[in-house]
Amino acid sequence: MKICRFNDDRVGIVRDESVFDVTAQAYAAHNDAVQDVVIAALPRLKRLTEAEIAACPARPLDRVQLKSPILAPGKIVAAPVNYQAHIQEMHASNISPGHNIPEIGKAGLFLKANSSLIGPSQGIALRFPERRTDHEIELVAIIGTTANEVRHAESLQFVAGYCLGLDITLRGPEDRSFRKSIDSYSVLGPWLTTADEVADPQALQLTLHNNGELRQDTPTADMVYDVARIIEFASSFYTLHPGDIVYTGTPQGVGPIVSGDRLRAHCKELGTMDVEVRAAG
Ligand code: MN
């Protein structure tokens, strides 16, 4: 099942080129134990029959404003340096001068501010246009149930679903979490694809085009720490809660974006999202 948030905090099920509005059903399933309405409603939404979905008001997908499928996560966890070819390009290009680029096991994970989170329709607002700012396409896992000190073999059971993410990155000397936490620098979308539709998160192909030119094109099999190991690693330090968001690192091909650019992130199983870049202000 593919579940989106759209327009004025409405919840939809995406089927081909249509969005079926299931806002009423989603909110009816809300429970106080799980903060995020979409995550709380997943069991109920999955039980909807074809007839019940077909009876919901439908809109063309290309006529809705797609927002982040998760509205207010407890935290946004992110993996640095998780593809070997990206580590090599960082060493070779010197685009992060002054930063150590160790392996992920030594670097650990970092957190991005929740206030940086947007959906594809909202666009990226560049706050420091005079400084290099890069696109990073990433596979993102959304936590569905509380995970604390989970083992690798079981950790994917705690994943509700997957999304595409853009971890937009201001280059420079500041700490990672500061440079990557600017408003609109965490794009999530185009919708949440439930985990049952992703047989193997390490068997996906991520592509990113900028203005129609292919910039990133890598299989998730190339991750240094696979999704399960990232969740194991994260939960060995802190509890992951339902609705927490886990960015799993960018592959090679990162490059600068400027106002007017149009990014297209794509994965066959997760969908396509178009994101415009503008100057903040
Ligand atoms: Mn990243």
Side-chain angles (χ1 to χ4, degrees), residues 89-279:
E89 82 178 341
M90 295 297 283
H91 282 297
S93 65
N94 197 35
I95 52 178
S96 265
H99 288 289
N100 265 332
I101 307 171
E103 53 144 325
I104 181 171
K106 292 202 176 81
L109 305 172
F110 64 95
L111 296 172
K112 301 188 70 165
N114 294 348
S115 45
S116 67
L117 187 64
I118 61 160
S121 71
Q122 292 164 285
I124 298 158
L126 296 177
R127 203 175 271 223
F128 301 99
E130 73 285 3
R131 291 176 58 178
R132 177 169 168 170
T133 305
D134 283 3
H135 56 74
E136 297 189 349
I137 187 174
E138 307 196 6
L139 172 64
V140 178
I142 310 298
I143 299 299
T145 48
T146 302
N148 184 29
E149 296 188 311
V150 298
R151 294 187 308 273
H152 183 269
E154 63 181 11
S155 59
L156 291 186
Q157 296 169 20
F158 297 85
V159 175
Y162 298 91
C163 302
L164 286 169
L166 295 173
D167 172 22
I168 301 301
T169 301
L170 178 70
R171 298 295 174 192
E174 302 92 340
D175 189 74
R176 261 198 195 93
S177 72
F178 196 52
R179 291 182 285 113
K180 291 168 173 271
S181 285
I182 296 166
D183 290 0
S184 80
Y185 282 28
S186 300
V187 188
L188 192 70
W191 41 74
L192 181 145
T193 299
T194 53
D196 56 288
E197 292 191 5
V198 180
D200 180 359
Q202 308 310 137
L204 306 174
Q205 187 78 16
L206 304 177
T207 62
L208 183 123
H209 287 78
N210 187 7
N211 302 322
E213 288 185 34
L214 183 64
R215 299 292 189 189
Q216 296 187 272
D217 183 13
T218 296
T220 55
D222 286 1
M223 286 183 190
V224 177
Y225 275 22
D226 62 15
V227 176
R229 193 167 178 194
I230 294 170
I231 291 169
E232 177 186 45
F233 190 31
S235 78
S236 72
F237 275 68
Y238 40 62
T239 302
L240 296 169
H241 294 288
D244 281 0
I245 295 173
V246 182
Y247 281 69
T248 60
T250 191
Q252 66 277 21
V254 302
I257 54 174
V258 297
S259 177
D261 281 354
R262 189 174 179 85
L263 303 174
R264 169 166 287 187
H266 173 76
C267 171
K268 182 163 66 75
E269 291 81 354
L270 306 180
T272 302
M273 62 177 185
D274 290 313
V275 185
E276 292 178 355
V277 182
R278 66 180 185 277

